[in-house]
Short mmCIF file of all heavy atoms in Angstrom, two decimals:
data_model
loop_
_atom_site.label_atom_id
_atom_site.label_comp_id
_atom_site.label_asym_id
_atom_site.label_seq_id
_atom_site.Cartn_x
_atom_site.Cartn_y
_atom_site.Cartn_z
N VAL A 287 229.36 166.93 128.81
CA VAL A 287 228.42 167.42 127.83
C VAL A 287 228.93 166.93 126.50
O VAL A 287 230.10 167.06 126.21
CB VAL A 287 228.38 168.95 127.84
CG1 VAL A 287 227.41 169.44 126.68
CG2 VAL A 287 227.90 169.51 129.13
N ILE A 288 228.12 166.31 125.73
CA ILE A 288 228.47 165.83 124.37
C ILE A 288 228.04 166.93 123.36
O ILE A 288 226.86 167.32 123.36
CB ILE A 288 227.77 164.49 123.97
CG1 ILE A 288 228.05 163.47 125.14
CG2 ILE A 288 228.26 163.98 122.69
CD1 ILE A 288 227.18 162.23 124.93
N LEU A 289 228.97 167.35 122.57
CA LEU A 289 228.72 168.42 121.57
C LEU A 289 228.97 167.94 120.14
O LEU A 289 230.01 167.48 119.80
CB LEU A 289 229.64 169.61 121.92
CG LEU A 289 229.44 170.88 121.15
CD1 LEU A 289 228.05 171.48 121.40
CD2 LEU A 289 230.54 171.87 121.48
N ASP A 290 227.94 168.06 119.34
CA ASP A 290 227.94 167.64 117.96
C ASP A 290 228.10 168.86 117.11
O ASP A 290 227.22 169.80 117.22
CB ASP A 290 226.62 166.88 117.61
CG ASP A 290 226.60 166.36 116.19
OD1 ASP A 290 227.17 166.95 115.30
OD2 ASP A 290 225.98 165.31 116.04
N VAL A 291 229.18 169.05 116.33
CA VAL A 291 229.39 170.23 115.61
C VAL A 291 229.14 170.07 114.10
O VAL A 291 229.58 170.89 113.27
CB VAL A 291 230.80 170.87 115.85
CG1 VAL A 291 230.96 171.25 117.33
CG2 VAL A 291 231.91 169.90 115.44
N ARG A 292 228.41 169.01 113.77
CA ARG A 292 228.03 168.80 112.31
C ARG A 292 226.83 169.66 111.94
O ARG A 292 226.27 170.42 112.75
CB ARG A 292 227.67 167.28 112.17
CG ARG A 292 228.80 166.32 112.51
CD ARG A 292 228.34 164.89 112.42
NE ARG A 292 227.15 164.69 113.28
CZ ARG A 292 226.31 163.66 113.23
NH1 ARG A 292 226.52 162.76 112.19
NH2 ARG A 292 225.32 163.53 114.04
N THR A 293 226.39 169.49 110.65
CA THR A 293 225.27 170.24 110.21
C THR A 293 223.93 169.54 110.70
O THR A 293 224.00 168.41 111.10
CB THR A 293 225.23 170.25 108.69
OG1 THR A 293 225.04 168.95 108.19
CG2 THR A 293 226.47 170.86 108.06
N GLU A 294 222.91 170.27 110.55
CA GLU A 294 221.58 169.73 110.97
C GLU A 294 221.20 168.50 110.06
O GLU A 294 220.68 167.48 110.61
CB GLU A 294 220.49 170.78 110.88
CG GLU A 294 219.21 170.33 111.64
CD GLU A 294 218.24 171.44 111.81
OE1 GLU A 294 218.61 172.62 111.64
OE2 GLU A 294 217.08 171.14 112.14
N ASP A 295 221.51 168.54 108.82
CA ASP A 295 221.32 167.38 107.97
C ASP A 295 222.01 166.15 108.43
O ASP A 295 221.48 165.05 108.46
CB ASP A 295 221.70 167.66 106.51
CG ASP A 295 220.69 168.65 105.77
OD1 ASP A 295 219.57 168.80 106.34
OD2 ASP A 295 221.04 169.14 104.75
N GLU A 296 223.30 166.29 108.78
CA GLU A 296 224.08 165.14 109.28
C GLU A 296 223.54 164.71 110.61
O GLU A 296 223.41 163.48 110.86
CB GLU A 296 225.54 165.61 109.48
CG GLU A 296 226.34 165.87 108.27
CD GLU A 296 227.68 166.47 108.54
OE1 GLU A 296 227.75 167.57 109.15
OE2 GLU A 296 228.69 165.86 108.13
N TRP A 297 223.15 165.61 111.45
CA TRP A 297 222.53 165.31 112.78
C TRP A 297 221.24 164.45 112.60
O TRP A 297 221.08 163.52 113.37
CB TRP A 297 222.23 166.70 113.44
CG TRP A 297 221.32 166.73 114.62
CD1 TRP A 297 220.03 167.02 114.54
CD2 TRP A 297 221.63 166.57 115.97
NE1 TRP A 297 219.44 167.10 115.83
CE2 TRP A 297 220.42 166.87 116.70
CE3 TRP A 297 222.77 166.41 116.65
CZ2 TRP A 297 220.38 166.84 118.13
CZ3 TRP A 297 222.80 166.36 118.05
CH2 TRP A 297 221.59 166.60 118.76
N ASN A 298 220.43 164.80 111.64
CA ASN A 298 219.19 164.07 111.41
C ASN A 298 219.45 162.64 110.96
O ASN A 298 218.50 161.83 111.02
CB ASN A 298 218.36 164.88 110.37
CG ASN A 298 217.75 166.10 110.99
OD1 ASN A 298 217.52 166.16 112.17
ND2 ASN A 298 217.54 167.14 110.16
N GLU A 299 220.62 162.32 110.45
CA GLU A 299 220.94 160.98 110.04
C GLU A 299 221.36 160.05 111.18
O GLU A 299 221.67 158.87 110.99
CB GLU A 299 222.07 161.00 108.96
CG GLU A 299 221.62 161.66 107.66
CD GLU A 299 222.78 161.95 106.73
OE1 GLU A 299 223.88 161.55 107.00
OE2 GLU A 299 222.51 162.62 105.70
N GLY A 300 221.47 160.64 112.37
CA GLY A 300 221.85 159.93 113.57
C GLY A 300 222.91 160.66 114.37
O GLY A 300 223.72 161.38 113.79
N MET A 301 222.80 160.54 115.70
CA MET A 301 223.69 161.21 116.57
C MET A 301 224.09 160.39 117.81
O MET A 301 223.40 159.37 118.04
CB MET A 301 223.21 162.64 116.99
CG MET A 301 221.69 162.74 117.05
SD MET A 301 220.79 162.21 118.50
CE MET A 301 221.01 163.44 119.68
N ILE A 302 225.07 160.76 118.51
CA ILE A 302 225.42 160.09 119.71
C ILE A 302 224.39 160.55 120.77
O ILE A 302 224.07 161.75 120.94
CB ILE A 302 226.86 160.45 120.18
CG1 ILE A 302 227.87 159.84 119.14
CG2 ILE A 302 227.15 159.89 121.56
CD1 ILE A 302 229.27 160.25 119.34
N PRO A 303 223.80 159.56 121.55
CA PRO A 303 222.71 159.99 122.43
C PRO A 303 223.09 161.05 123.45
O PRO A 303 224.30 161.16 123.92
CB PRO A 303 222.46 158.62 123.23
CG PRO A 303 222.94 157.57 122.24
CD PRO A 303 224.06 158.15 121.52
N ASN A 304 222.19 161.98 123.67
CA ASN A 304 222.30 163.12 124.61
C ASN A 304 223.17 164.18 124.14
O ASN A 304 223.51 165.11 124.84
CB ASN A 304 222.70 162.66 126.00
CG ASN A 304 221.79 161.56 126.58
OD1 ASN A 304 220.55 161.76 126.49
ND2 ASN A 304 222.33 160.47 127.01
N ALA A 305 223.61 164.18 122.86
CA ALA A 305 224.42 165.26 122.31
C ALA A 305 223.57 166.49 122.08
O ALA A 305 222.37 166.45 121.89
CB ALA A 305 225.06 164.80 121.01
N ILE A 306 224.29 167.64 122.17
CA ILE A 306 223.62 168.87 121.69
C ILE A 306 224.29 169.36 120.43
O ILE A 306 225.47 169.13 120.21
CB ILE A 306 223.75 169.95 122.84
CG1 ILE A 306 225.16 170.25 123.20
CG2 ILE A 306 222.91 169.61 124.03
CD1 ILE A 306 225.31 171.45 124.13
N LEU A 307 223.50 169.97 119.53
CA LEU A 307 223.94 170.34 118.20
C LEU A 307 224.43 171.79 118.23
O LEU A 307 223.71 172.62 118.69
CB LEU A 307 222.88 170.06 117.20
CG LEU A 307 223.16 170.48 115.75
CD1 LEU A 307 224.27 169.62 115.20
CD2 LEU A 307 221.91 170.31 114.89
N ASN A 308 225.59 172.04 117.64
CA ASN A 308 226.07 173.44 117.48
C ASN A 308 226.91 173.38 116.18
O ASN A 308 228.13 173.02 116.26
CB ASN A 308 226.83 173.93 118.64
CG ASN A 308 227.17 175.45 118.53
OD1 ASN A 308 226.75 176.04 117.52
ND2 ASN A 308 227.94 175.99 119.41
N ASP A 309 226.33 173.66 115.06
CA ASP A 309 226.96 173.56 113.69
C ASP A 309 228.10 174.56 113.64
O ASP A 309 227.89 175.76 113.62
CB ASP A 309 225.88 173.75 112.69
CG ASP A 309 226.40 173.66 111.30
OD1 ASP A 309 227.60 173.51 111.06
OD2 ASP A 309 225.59 173.70 110.29
N ILE A 310 229.34 174.01 113.48
CA ILE A 310 230.50 174.89 113.42
C ILE A 310 230.42 175.76 112.13
O ILE A 310 231.03 176.83 112.11
CB ILE A 310 231.81 174.05 113.50
CG1 ILE A 310 233.02 174.99 113.74
CG2 ILE A 310 232.00 173.22 112.25
CD1 ILE A 310 234.31 174.31 114.11
N TYR A 311 229.75 175.33 111.13
CA TYR A 311 229.69 176.12 109.84
C TYR A 311 228.78 177.32 110.04
O TYR A 311 228.75 178.23 109.16
CB TYR A 311 229.12 175.25 108.69
CG TYR A 311 230.06 174.18 108.22
CD1 TYR A 311 229.57 172.99 107.66
CD2 TYR A 311 231.38 174.43 108.16
CE1 TYR A 311 230.42 172.05 107.23
CE2 TYR A 311 232.31 173.41 107.70
CZ TYR A 311 231.80 172.24 107.21
OH TYR A 311 232.65 171.28 106.72
N LYS A 312 228.11 177.48 111.15
CA LYS A 312 227.27 178.71 111.41
C LYS A 312 228.14 179.90 111.74
O LYS A 312 227.60 180.95 111.99
CB LYS A 312 226.22 178.39 112.42
CG LYS A 312 225.22 177.33 111.98
CD LYS A 312 223.82 177.99 112.03
CE LYS A 312 222.68 177.01 111.76
NZ LYS A 312 222.64 176.26 110.61
N GLY A 313 229.41 179.75 111.92
CA GLY A 313 230.34 180.88 112.16
C GLY A 313 229.99 181.62 113.47
O GLY A 313 230.14 181.06 114.54
#
Side-chain angles (χ1 to χ4, degrees):
V287 176
I288 307 170
L289 186 64
D290 183 327
V291 297
R292 300 175 303 159
T293 65
E294 194 167 346
D295 286 344
E296 290 172 302
W297 163 266
N298 288 329
E299 292 167 8
M301 30 80 81
I302 295 174
N304 303 312
I306 58 173
L307 178 64
N308 186 6
D309 180 354
I310 195 169
Y311 288 148
K312 293 240 189 300

